[in-house]
Amino acid sequence: MESKVSEGGLNVTLTIRLLMHGKEVGSIIGKKGETVKKMREESGARINISEGNCPERIVTITGPTDAIFKAFAMIAYKFEEDITNSMSNSTATSKPPVTLRLVVPASQCGSLIGKGGSKIKEIRESTGAQVQVAGDMLPNSTERAVTISGTPDAIIQCVKQICVVMLEVQSVTKGSPPKGATIPYRPKPASTPVIFAGGQAYTIQGQYAIPHPDLTKLHQLAMQQTPFTPLGQTTPAFPGLDASPPASTHELTIPNDLIGCIIGRQGTKINEIRQMSGAQIKIANATEGSSERQITITGTPANISLAQYLINARLTSEVTGMGAL
């Protein structure tokens, strides 16, 4: 098995792409990039990590097959070390397996699965790793995620077998992209809501509004150059126009069945919205026979806009099933 890969693949350069969460990427990069530097030097493989403020990143490993296997071994053992370290602080008794997600062109997944699932079954049985090929392609791409989990040794054996399949597919198609060009998966940046209040731009990070100087400059330039028009007549005024805007009041009606997501458990969400927006927010008691509740927001126009934005964000996340914001 190994000789087959080494002989057939030593001078063949392969590229394997991995999909990782931010935390996993941080572990691979290490302090000041030391871990990834060591992996590159010791494996001889090129390891590139996609840029961007994304919850997911693509790690591309390129090189001769033996270099790729070394790089994979180092990644798998690093992840196992992370699991061991996290378990020393927890009460869990069973050790979770190491899990890696490969990104594979959909055109190669058929060969990987085999007729009636025969190939993937053979890989599972001979390596002891769990292998799952996603049924759907990753968003805006022609690639699928292949999830491998098990011990580091099982994962390394599994990757070797997947490389063999990929090399076979390439040799059959003589290097031309099989069945049309592959559209690679690119993770979307984490969309951070931006709020303009008091002439300042803020991005929402977790529970806090963080001032964003670059966006503030853009916002101020835009305000100087374009005549200001209120956004819809529901907002009394848009943030940050007057030096000391007077306090005003705005009322909203919210359906009863959605009021819970605004209030949160023991009032946690509504308190967060009050703190972040600086507005006073009162929710009227339910009135008999009415399917809606009245919310009264009091504060400067900037406070009110921010509170409205946060309330709408909560409603949107609830309706679209995105969970907590």
Side-chain angles (χ1 to χ4, degrees):
M1 157 70 214
E2 279 197 35
S3 62
K4 182 180 164 190
V5 180
S6 301
E7 286 164 22
L10 253 183
N11 42 13
V12 176
T13 299
L14 256 187
T15 295
I16 298 209
R17 283 151 51 81
L18 286 165
L19 190 54
M20 291 191 191
H21 293 300
K23 197 175 172 188
E24 295 169 325
V25 171
S27 168
I28 295 297
I29 295 172
K31 266 190 193 142
K32 295 181 183 168
E34 280 167 17
T35 308
V36 74
K37 185 172 177 246
K38 187 179 172 204
M39 285 180 178
R40 285 177 181 134
E41 285 169 1
E42 291 187 15
S43 69
R46 285 209 308 274
I47 303 172
N48 288 329
I49 296 162
S50 68
E51 293 295 321
N53 171 29
C54 303
E56 292 180 320
R57 307 270 284 278
I58 296 279
V59 177
T60 308
I61 304 173
T62 307
T65 46
D66 58 341
I68 284 178
F69 302 151
K70 279 181 196 157
F72 259 95
M74 293 177 84
I75 290 171
Y77 282 114
K78 179 73 180 85
F79 283 176
E80 188 180 50
E81 188 188 308
D82 293 344
I83 291 169
T84 309
N85 290 344
S86 68
M87 282 189 68
S88 62
N89 304 327
S90 82
T91 52
T93 47
S94 61
K95 188 173 183 176
V98 173
T99 300
L100 294 178
R101 286 181 300 161
L102 273 60
V103 183
V104 177
S107 53
Q108 295 185 3
C109 287
S111 311
L112 191 56
I113 294 166
K115 214 175 205 168
S118 57
K119 188 70 194 170
I120 201 162
K121 185 168 180 257
E122 181 195 312
I123 294 175
R124 282 181 190 134
E125 286 172 0
S126 65
T127 64
Q130 279 299 315
V131 189
Q132 233 111 34
V133 178
D136 296 325
M137 292 190 206
L138 289 157
N140 308 317
S141 77
T142 56
E143 294 191 302
R144 291 195 202 175
V146 176
T147 306
I148 309 172
S149 54
T151 63
D153 292 338
I155 284 175
I156 296 156
Q157 289 306 319
C158 185
V159 168
K160 285 185 179 180
Q161 298 219 16
I162 289 171
C163 285
V164 171
V165 173
M166 286 178 156
L167 287 168
E168 282 167 1
V169 172
Q170 282 183 7
S171 61
V172 169
T173 55
K174 296 190 174 59
S176 65
K179 295 175 197 165
T182 298
I183 301 167
Y185 172 60
R186 289 192 171 85
K188 276 226 167 72
S191 55
T192 327
V194 177
I195 293 158
F196 297 110
Q200 298 285 320
Y202 297 89
T203 52
I204 296 291
Q205 293 179 13
Q207 301 174 7
Y208 304 99
I210 313 289
H212 202 300
D214 299 343
L215 287 171
T216 300
K217 282 178 206 151
L218 281 174
H219 175 55
Q220 286 166 346
L221 280 170
M223 298 302 260
Q224 286 161 15
Q225 288 168 11
T226 52
F228 180 79
T229 51
L231 292 185
Q233 295 314 305
T234 50
T235 30
F238 198 58
L241 284 187
D242 305 317
S244 54
S248 53
T249 298
H250 184 74
E251 291 188 341
L252 293 170
T253 47
I254 304 283
N256 277 342
D257 55 347
L258 289 174
I259 200 78
C261 78
I262 301 290
I263 297 171
R265 195 174 285 167
Q266 296 178 328
T268 50
K269 290 294 165 199
I270 194 71
N271 284 339
E272 268 176 32
I273 295 172
R274 284 181 182 125
Q275 279 177 348
M276 283 171 72
S277 66
Q280 291 179 335
I281 305 169
K282 290 196 178 112
I283 298 174
N285 293 329
T287 51
E288 219 174 305
S290 168
S291 63
E292 295 185 320
R293 299 271 284 276
Q294 192 86 18
I295 296 183
T296 308
I297 309 169
T298 308
T300 64
N303 298 144
I304 291 172
S305 288
L306 192 42
Q308 272 183 285
Y309 172 87
L310 294 166
I311 288 170
N312 286 331
R314 286 292 312 148
L315 290 173
T316 309
S317 67
E318 182 72 14
V319 172
T320 56
M322 294 292 284
L325 199 127

